[in-house]
Amino acid sequence: MMRRIPHLKAALAAVTLCLLAPAWSGQTGQAGTSPSAPERTEPARSGALPENPARPTLPPPETAGTLKSTVRRSAEGRELTLPFSQIGQVHHPHEVRRGQFRQRLHFELRTDELVRRATLTLMLAPSPDLLGRNDLLVVKLNSETVGRIAVPPASGLDRSGQFSTQLELDPKLLTDSNELTVQFVAPPQCDSAQFPRASINGHSSVQLTMQPLPLANDLSVLPSPFFDRRDLGRTEVMLVTSDRPDGSTLQAAGQLASWFGALAGHRGARIRSRADLPAGHAIVLATAQDRPAGVSLPPITGATVVLGSHPSRPGAKVLYLLGRDGAELRRAVEALVRGQLPAQGSSAVIDTLPEVAPRQPHDALRWTGTHRPVRFDELVPQERLGFSGTLPDSMRNSMTMSLQMRLPPDLFPWRERVVPVDLRLTHSPRPFSDPRPEQASIELRLNNEQALIDENLAASQPRRWIEQLWQQISGDMEVKREHRHLIRMPVESLGTRSYNAINIRIDHGPFDERAQCLREAQAENSQGGRPDETWSLPSTVIDGSSTIDFSDVPHYLPMPDLAAFANAGFPFTRMADLSETAIVLPDLPMREEIDAMLGVASRLGEGSGVAGRLLEVVRVREIDRVAQRELVVIGSAGSQPLFTEWVRAMPFRDLPVAGSGDLPETLEVPFWRRWLHGLWQRPKFPPLPQQTFRSVEAPAVIAGFESPLRAGRSVVALIGATAADLELLTGALADAERLRRIHGHLSSVRDETPEGVRPWHADPTYGSGELPWLTRLRWELSNKPVLLWLVLFGAILALSLITFVLLQRHAIRRRAGSPL
């Protein structure tokens, strides 16, 4: 009889579970959405897009107080300083505490450099119970112990309660990818009443002296040494062309600059040109007819790519991109940017290249997709979408993460349209043997502002009882709860910014330092065995198949909008390969104007993440050939004739030319014109008076306006009082502080300070993109009061005429005696 009791208990538990199961559902839904809503099916991807698109590379989130890496040259080589804020730690200090035995920080180094000397500077703030103890902390580099740190007495601390120590690191331990670990020598006693901890200040740093490594003349090493993805600094590339490069060479240089901009991403790229070989690495662009003077070229037998050593600087490399004519030169450049060079050898002749499927609008790799639902694991690696309670934040068992999105600037954020978010997650609570009350929640916010969801993940007591019964039946010690939330995010909450983020906070309640200490100590002693479930912590994992879908949002942007150009290269990057973009230079461009073209091309490449292989670079005399494209016009006020020819379309009344006298003051718009303009269209900004070039009190301006050659196309003009002043504009586009100040119709740049950039605003004059006809009608009526009055008057008049005709017919029938 006693042997049957366990089976009887199991049977009773199963019956109870079956009776109560209908009252419990494992899915939850947002208010207003059905929990049983059908799952979203992902549409088939277009054949022109990769099956697994590359995850967009976004700049690291900006944090106050974050330090920057510094580089300087010395007789021993390149000296690099990496603060902890740059290698994985943000502005707040990390801690080595009892419940968290170690801190790990990762950093990478260039593959073409060798570390000659390395020094670690640590700034630590110990808790009072650690003062005066020896051999308390140990520092490891790539799992090898490099030093032990003794905590000084209170007299050895500075006013902020910190002390500094330096450790010499063995350069032989450093590789391309490195892990630096700071941990206790021995795990603290978990039952101790004290809470020993040591905070690591973000000013701690690694100082390195780097020596260049000799590279083989092999095409397989490209794009090194010109670009290395592990280098956190700005990419610097020097192009060598003839003193007066022809159109084909300029176009090849622009395409190459956009490729380096796409590679560099948020690091930024500085591409410059010159007519002779520099002292360092260089890329030579030449044809049989257009070659730099004084530079010895390899034999040109077609579209030729050669990687060789610098003729006078040992260790430096020269990449030769050559062709017998312009078409072959462009083919050599395209083979490089498409990665279709031979896997070995120092030279190659490219006869043909395979056809490339045309790109689709808004498919830039650096943009979040808007043509299909985007999975969360395309925005953040799946391993970062989970939390098991091992990263305490402010003494709470919680963590935050961000799904960074770089959206096309022309998403139309207006009124009732919504973006569906399908969130799926799995939550595993603490063991039922843990007497502490269960606390778990998840919160989603858009840009840390608008709350999307705030859900309690803790189960009710009846559900926990059912889970415990099922655990006894199945023998599975781990309980998993699956949740699903269907969220409808208003499009208007996105605003007009390109960068948006869904901020996720997972909270498992107050942090139990003793429980965490016991768990880590048990894991240390298990030596690979299964940890004791008694000290298991709750975990929450967001399913990477969760999606956010922008495919129903129309693309339309009132123009001109210099902020869209500065931040994302829009509208030029609408086609990521720049197939609808042309850069227009003067007929005889100066070196500064060519460098400005290279800076703009690299900026467009950064905006899309794709090399602009179909970019056109033309001179003024070839403008008719690119009349149907979006145009970037570059030049000084005296060298670019288009600035004079298009003066009526530009926000300028006049431009200075060499030898001219002072220009008259700004022409103010008459009151009656402002009144009529406000009557027709509701103004958002005061009217922008036409500016004379000198009245903006700046030597360089960037202006946006509609193309005089084709309606609906955009022109962005980069204008300098002299060619040398164009450096102010390219520098502003490459500097984060100054770039965020570029917006509106026109921005003037006075100097190299953020305050030197001044934007000028006016109401939009045209648009880029298409809207559904009903949305377009409502949009136009909302901005044009007179048009709204005319439509209402027309509707009233039409209704009155229809009513009058019906009444007349009724009266005629009544007089004729016919039935009504």
Side-chain angles (χ1 to χ4, degrees):
M1 183 66 180
M2 296 298 291
R3 295 178 180 176
R4 296 182 180 178
I5 290 177
H7 299 286
L8 181 60
K9 288 183 177 180
L12 290 174
V15 170
T16 305
L17 181 62
C18 293
L19 291 174
L20 296 178
W24 163 62
S25 171
Q27 293 181 339
T28 59
Q30 187 188 12
T33 60
S34 173
S36 59
E39 294 188 6
R40 181 181 301 278
T41 57
E42 182 174 340
R45 296 180 175 90
S46 169
L49 297 174
E51 187 66 18
N52 294 307
R55 183 177 293 112
T57 303
L58 297 179
E62 296 175 326
T63 52
T66 298
L67 305 177
K68 300 295 184 181
S69 60
T70 58
V71 180
R72 69 184 185 91
R73 304 284 176 179
S74 69
E76 297 180 343
R78 191 171 74 111
E79 295 187 358
L80 177 65
T81 299
L82 296 176
F84 275 25
S85 60
Q86 193 80 3
I87 58 176
Q89 181 178 337
V90 293
H91 61 282
H92 61 271
H94 275 182
E95 289 186 332
V96 184
R97 53 157 59 105
R98 181 176 69 171
Q100 192 174 3
F101 300 157
R102 62 184 62 83
Q103 282 292 343
R104 294 187 176 97
L105 297 102
H106 299 267
F107 63 98
E108 295 182 322
L109 301 176
R110 289 180 64 101
T111 56
D112 60 348
E113 289 183 327
L114 179 68
V115 180
R116 295 189 56 187
R117 188 173 60 196
T119 304
L120 171 65
T121 301
L122 277 176
M123 299 181 65
L124 300 169
S127 57
D129 56 296
L130 298 181
L131 299 179
R133 296 175 59 177
N134 294 324
D135 290 339
L136 179 66
L137 297 174
V138 61
V139 180
K140 295 185 177 182
L141 177 63
N142 296 329
S143 301
E144 295 289 336
T145 300
V146 295
R148 294 173 179 266
I149 301 175
V151 180
S155 59
L157 304 181
D158 60 18
R159 293 182 179 178
S160 60
Q162 299 184 84
F163 72 96
S164 177
T165 184
Q166 279 194 343
L167 295 175
E168 292 294 328
L169 305 179
D170 186 355
K172 298 178 182 178
L173 297 177
L174 289 160
T175 63
D176 298 342
S177 181
N178 303 278
E179 180 182 78
L180 188 67
T181 306
V182 181
Q183 66 182 64
F184 285 117
V185 173
Q189 295 297 322
C190 298
D191 294 327
S192 171
Q194 306 222 343
F195 297 88
R197 70 191 73 243
S199 298
I200 306 174
N201 193 292
H203 289 266
S204 303
S205 62
V206 180
Q207 299 92 33
L208 304 167
T209 301
M210 316 293 294
Q211 178 183 13
L213 276 175
L215 289 179
N217 292 330
D218 197 315
L219 296 178
S220 63
V221 304
L222 294 174
S224 183
F226 307 99
F227 168 77
D228 193 309
R229 66 174 182 82
R230 296 176 177 85
D231 193 344
L232 299 177
R234 186 170 65 175
T235 299
E236 303 273 353
V237 180
M238 185 65 70
L239 305 183
V240 179
T241 66
S242 65
D243 193 49
R244 294 291 183 182
D246 60 20
S248 297
T249 303
L250 290 174
Q251 184 166 329
Q255 294 168 352
L256 195 60
S258 70
W259 181 58
F260 278 111
L263 290 176
H266 65 270
R267 305 172 187 85
R270 173 69 180 274
I271 318 296
R272 290 175 293 176
S273 65
R274 56 188 294 168
D276 57 346
L277 283 177
H281 305 303
I283 300 178
V284 177
L285 302 172
T287 64
Q289 297 79 27
D290 183 30
R291 58 175 64 203
V295 178
S296 178
L297 302 178
I300 305 176
T301 57
T304 306
V305 182
V306 179
L307 181 62
S309 300
H310 196 289
S312 60
R313 296 285 181 173
K317 295 296 178 184
V318 180
L319 178 64
Y320 299 90
L321 299 172
L322 312 171
R324 291 171 294 190
D325 54 26
E328 289 185 346
L329 173 61
R330 292 194 300 272
R331 191 193 311 155
V333 171
E334 187 165 352
L336 173 64
V337 302
R338 285 167 56 177
Q340 293 179 341
L341 295 177
Q344 59 183 359
S346 61
S347 64
V349 177
I350 312 300
D351 295 325
T352 58
L353 289 173
E355 293 292 329
V356 177
R359 301 196 69 92
Q360 303 300 314
H362 304 100
D363 69 346
L365 293 184
R366 204 150 280 148
W367 293 359
T368 302
T370 58
H371 58 284
R372 60 174 177 84
V374 177
R375 293 167 54 104
F376 278 22
D377 55 12
E378 296 179 49
L379 303 174
V380 174
Q382 177 63 58
E383 58 268 18
R384 292 174 52 193
L385 288 173
F387 173 51
S388 59
T390 59
L391 296 174
D393 180 14
S394 300
M395 291 307 293
R396 289 193 65 84
N397 201 15
S398 63
M399 74 167 294
T400 58
M401 69 185 79
S402 293
L403 302 181
Q404 297 286 335
M405 300 175 293
R406 189 174 186 177
L407 299 172
D410 62 341
L411 281 185
F412 192 61
W414 198 54
R415 299 205 174 170
E416 71 278 356
R417 291 187 180 271
V418 296
V419 175
V421 180
D422 186 358
L423 175 66
R424 308 181 188 197
L425 60 92
T426 302
H427 174 67
S428 298
R430 284 190 295 262
F432 295 112
S433 57
D434 194 327
R436 293 172 295 173
E438 182 183 0
Q439 300 182 45
S441 64
I442 183 171
E443 180 186 65
L444 267 71
R445 288 184 174 271
L446 179 64
N447 299 320
N448 271 328
E449 298 171 358
Q450 180 174 351
L452 301 178
I453 188 173
D454 190 354
E455 180 73 13
N456 185 7
L457 300 178
S460 61
Q461 190 59 38
R463 179 172 176 178
R464 286 181 57 86
W465 182 61
I466 295 171
E467 290 173 343
Q468 190 171 5
L469 287 176
W470 177 252
Q471 191 179 66
Q472 294 178 0
I473 296 171
S474 64
D476 187 0
M477 298 302 295
E478 186 176 11
V479 175
K480 293 184 178 180
R481 302 172 188 156
E482 294 184 354
H483 298 257
R484 184 180 180 189
H485 303 272
L486 302 177
I487 308 167
R488 297 169 63 84
M489 183 174 66
V491 175
E492 61 184 354
S493 61
L494 297 172
T496 57
R497 49 187 152 192
S498 294
Y499 289 97
N500 286 270
I502 295 180
N503 307 107
I504 304 174
R505 178 180 175 84
I506 300 173
D507 194 338
H508 290 162
F511 178 67
D512 191 330
E513 193 166 5
R514 178 178 177 273
Q516 174 67 8
C517 182
L518 289 171
R519 181 178 183 274
E520 289 207 6
Q522 194 273 336
E524 289 275 338
N525 298 329
S526 64
Q527 296 181 353
R530 183 173 180 178
D532 186 0
E533 296 292 340
T534 304
W535 299 109
S536 294
L537 292 175
S539 67
T540 303
V541 178
I542 298 175
D543 194 339
S545 64
S546 303
T547 60
I548 181 170
D549 188 1
F550 295 94
S551 58
D552 193 42
V553 183
H555 290 269
Y556 181 81
L557 182 66
M559 299 290 283
D561 190 335
L562 289 182
F565 169 75
N567 288 284
F570 190 86
F572 307 95
T573 49
R574 175 181 172 273
M575 300 298 295
D577 55 5
L578 304 184
S579 58
E580 296 182 355
T581 297
I583 300 180
V584 185
L585 293 172
D587 286 332
L588 295 175
M590 290 180 278
R591 188 61 65 179
E592 295 86 353
E593 292 165 333
I594 295 175
D595 287 351
M597 179 272 293
L598 297 175
V600 171
S602 68
R603 185 63 193 168
L604 296 180
E606 186 280 331
S608 66
V610 178
R613 45 177 295 270
L614 298 181
L615 170 69
E616 290 272 3
V617 179
V618 300
R619 270 82 67 89
V620 174
R621 60 174 177 266
E622 304 166 303
I623 188 68
D624 293 337
R625 181 160 60 88
V626 295
Q628 305 302 313
R629 294 188 172 218
E630 316 275 1
L631 304 177
V632 178
V633 182
I634 299 174
S636 60
S639 67
Q640 180 55 270
L642 292 180
F643 296 155
T644 303
E645 296 176 15
W646 293 352
V647 68
R648 293 185 177 276
M650 298 171 62
F652 288 108
R653 180 174 55 82
D654 202 354
L655 292 168
V657 294
S660 64
D662 292 336
L663 296 174
E665 295 298 324
T666 300
L667 180 64
E668 295 292 343
V669 179
F671 170 78
W672 65 270
R673 288 182 57 184
R674 294 200 303 269
W675 182 81
L676 287 178
H677 184 271
L679 188 65
W680 167 250
Q681 180 172 348
R682 183 179 291 111
K684 181 179 179 181
F685 299 102
L688 175 66
Q690 281 195 309
Q691 303 288 326
T692 64
F693 186 79
R694 293 181 183 178
S695 69
V696 297
E697 298 180 354
V701 295
I702 177 172
F705 54 94
E706 188 175 16
S707 173
L709 304 180
R710 184 182 178 185
R713 291 293 191 181
S714 298
V715 176
V716 170
L718 276 69
I719 313 170
T722 65
D725 293 324
L726 292 170
E727 172 67 21
L728 289 172
L729 298 178
T730 54
L733 291 173
D735 180 70
E737 292 295 327
R738 286 183 284 168
L739 182 139
R740 66 167 53 97
R741 293 174 176 262
I742 298 177
H743 45 85
H745 271 52
L746 180 150
S747 291
S748 60
V749 183
R750 184 176 64 251
D751 50 42
E752 296 182 354
T753 64
E755 295 75 18
V757 180
R758 180 184 179 188
W760 303 74
H761 287 271
D763 291 309
T765 56
Y766 67 103
S768 173
E770 297 292 337
L771 290 175
W773 70 270
L774 184 58
T775 304
R776 181 60 180 265
L777 177 62
R778 295 169 60 195
W779 167 256
E780 294 292 344
L781 292 179
S782 68
N783 286 292
K784 295 181 172 59
V786 172
L787 183 59
L788 178 61
W789 299 341
L790 292 177
V791 170
L792 291 176
F793 178 76
I796 294 173
L797 181 61
L799 184 61
S800 301
L801 290 176
I802 293 173
T803 304
F804 176 77
V805 170
L806 292 177
L807 291 176
Q808 285 292 96
R809 291 182 61 186
H810 177 77
I812 292 173
R813 290 181 181 180
R814 181 173 57 80
R815 294 191 189 106
S818 59
L820 300 179

